[in-house]
Amino acid sequence: MDGNEIVLSIKDLHKSFRKDDGELVAIEDFSLDIMDGEFVCVLGPSGCGKTTLLRIIAGLEEPTSGKILLKNNEITGPGSDRGMVFQEFSLFPWRSVRKNIEFGLEIRKIPKEERRKISDKYIDLVGLKGFETSHPYELSGGMKQRVGIARALANDPAILLMDEPFGALDAQTRNLMQKELLRIWSETKKTVVFITHSVDEAVFVADRVVVMSARPGQIRDIFDVKWPRPRDRASVEFASLRKKVLAELEKETGMNR
Amino acid sequence: MKTGTIGRLKRAVLGDSERKLPKSVIIVVISLVVFVLAWWALSTAFPSEYFPTPYDVGVAFIDSFQNPDPNTGVTMWQHMSQSLVRFLWGFALAFFLALPVGLLMGFSNVAETFGKPIVEVFRPIPPIAWAPFFFIVAGLFWGPVMPVFLGVFFPILSNVIFGVKSVDPLLLDAARTQGANKRTLFSKVILPFTIPFLMTGIRIGLGIGWMCIVASEMIVAIGGGVGLYIRVMADVGRYDYMFAGMVVIAILGIVTTELSGNIERRVSKWMGMK
């Protein structure tokens, strides 16, 4: 982490949805500072509001109260300064790999040669060389998400938001993609906010694991994971931390109640 | 055993080469042969001037292209080009109006709420019902064009509206996180997403458009066109020529819908969509 500068600051965030039978409080009293270059995992049971949290950071939804500062500027809507990676990939099916990655660059009217240089760089980074002209339907799930990551990074965002990015992949691809993501992260030095419901995944990738409670979504506990990478899933410390995090999470899902 | 006959036929047609001719093509050919044979058998079993044999119709068909018929004074080529030109006008007008209106109605709730009652009033009226009215107000040429316009307009309109409304909200989210505003969302996500739906509307509209042109030319009955030709031949009792006119319509219809179906498939494939 360089300089311990705060990149993203979430202050007293509240989010509630109006429903037929009253109000559903999705997020309550949520405050968190995220440092430059940090890899933060937000872990929680399903329906705890973690995806809502990420969508608010992305500017796709508005908070009911509270605010989020990105490099001291309040977030008021979506923008290319935050790159988002979706669980369902959300690639444009009519665009080739290259054109998907260049989407945001086209919108920002970056000249063609420049775009090509940038897309080449990220195609290389995520390991998609040789697939530039392929369309999403020709790619496997893991490759689609590589495109998703490259597309998010191509705008050179201040922060990378990942909403259960490997949730739709099989276990083996998932483990491979976790390693690939860590490699990409160490090469780009991006700040990452990563949503997951897998304790194993969180402990494997994150610098900090934020455990959320279910309804209303609040921070229940934060675990620092200081070990160097690559981490050994079979090690004793890994297992014991995983157990601790899991115990915290299970209090929420009601297994211990 | 079942594929045996087809397999033998395939070898008979293609020689022993292992060229892959799709089974469906062979079945289509057999189907058409069966149809013509049945027609032949029926028309010779029950001879009638109203029911000519395929041979008589074939002779009339060729003759209609070679010699101008005495009743209208022109050849089938001219009737065909009359109908075709009207058809293309009707289609083009419908396309260039239905596309923007459909996009607008799909995109804006206000436009849809405003436009829907009007559309729903006009949609159930068969386009042909307009033919006498348009003949009076629009004349010999444009009269028959207007029913075609209506016949093509509504399928394109409803498919485009449906396409815009089917846009995956996650794609819109993805585009917005990439910095897209309302205008770029429209041009770079909604518009390309809608193209395959537009193609479906076009294919359906083409089929209806052909029915409309023939029927309205029959009703209007002045100014030429294949529809008029069919009616005149029926009036003067040349049923073999009447059927020849119907064959012309069938061929034109098949060619246009096949062509558009082909384009539709190519576009969908090229766009990586189904």
Side-chain angles (χ1 to χ4, degrees), chain A residues 72-142:
Chain A
N72 285 324
N73 296 311
E74 189 171 346
I75 289 172
T76 53
S80 58
D81 51 355
R82 285 143 289 152
M84 179 117 168
V85 179
F86 297 81
Q87 180 178 1
E88 304 82 357
F89 318 126
S90 298
L91 303 178
F92 304 109
W94 56 88
R95 287 178 164 250
S96 65
V97 166
R98 182 188 295 286
K99 297 286 265 176
N100 261 287
I101 295 170
E102 290 182 2
F103 186 87
L105 306 172
E106 270 179 38
I107 284 183
R108 280 158 50 211
K109 297 206 162 64
I110 288 170
K112 199 176 172 181
E113 278 168 40
E114 181 90 18
R115 286 207 306 260
R116 209 183 159 86
K117 243 190 256 168
I118 296 170
S119 59
D120 270 337
K121 177 180 155 193
Y122 288 101
I123 284 165
D124 209 25
L125 178 73
V126 300
L128 280 174
K129 231 175 186 167
F131 293 95
E132 291 87 343
T133 57
S134 300
H135 279 74
Y137 72 94
E138 299 171 288
L139 305 177
S140 66

Side-chain angles (χ1 to χ4, degrees), chain A residues 234-252:
Chain A
S235 73
V236 179
E237 318 104 285
F238 194 95
S240 90
L241 181 60
R242 192 169 50 191
K243 209 171 165 184
K244 263 168 70 185
V245 177
L246 195 61
E248 201 58 47
L249 194 65
E250 278 178 352
K251 282 179 198 161
E252 276 315 314

Side-chain angles (χ1 to χ4, degrees), chain B residues 123 150-160 200-202 204-205 208:
Chain B
R123 202 210 307 261
L150 290 171
V152 179
F153 179 80
F154 289 110
I156 295 185
L157 183 76
S158 10
N159 276 281
V160 169
T200 304
I202 288 176
I204 297 168
I208 299 177

Side-chain angles (χ1 to χ4, degrees), chain B residues 207-231:
Chain B
I208 299 177
W210 273 116
M211 293 186 206
C212 292
I213 189 64
V214 177
S216 55
E217 282 173 350
M218 282 180 174
I219 289 166
V220 170
I222 322 171
V226 185
L228 172 78
Y229 179 88
I230 293 170
R231 179 170 164 185

Side-chain angles (χ1 to χ4, degrees), chain A residues 210-236:
Chain A
V210 177
V211 180
M212 277 179 82
S213 61
R215 272 184 208 140
Q218 288 171 310
I219 295 181
R220 176 155 198 112
D221 207 345
I222 298 178
F223 295 87
D224 284 308
V225 191
K226 298 220 167 70
W227 313 318
R229 297 175 179 87
R231 292 170 184 163
D232 180 7
R233 281 195 158 91
S235 73
V236 179

Side-chain angles (χ1 to χ4, degrees), chain B residues 1-11 26 30:
Chain B
M1 272 306 284
K2 273 179 197 159
T3 53
T5 324
I6 290 165
R8 267 197 299 281
L9 192 79
K10 213 158 146 183
R11 273 192 296 280
I26 296 167
I30 295 171

Side-chain angles (χ1 to χ4, degrees), chain A residues 55 60 78-80 82 84 86 88 90-95 103-104 106-107 109 135 137 151-152 155, chain B residues 168 170-181 183-184 188-190 192-193 269-273:
Chain A
R55 289 177 61 85
L60 294 171
S80 58
R82 285 143 289 152
M84 179 117 168
F86 297 81
E88 304 82 357
S90 298
L91 303 178
F92 304 109
W94 56 88
R95 287 178 164 250
F103 186 87
E106 270 179 38
I107 284 183
K109 297 206 162 64
H135 279 74
Y137 72 94
R151 181 177 66 178
N155 291 316
Chain B
D168 184 354
L170 279 168
L171 289 183
L172 296 176
D173 282 348
R176 289 169 70 207
T177 64
Q178 292 276 316
N181 56 24
R183 195 176 53 78
T184 42
K188 288 191 186 289
V189 183
I190 294 171
F193 193 93
K269 198 178 170 215
W270 169 66
M271 295 185 72
M273 297 161 88

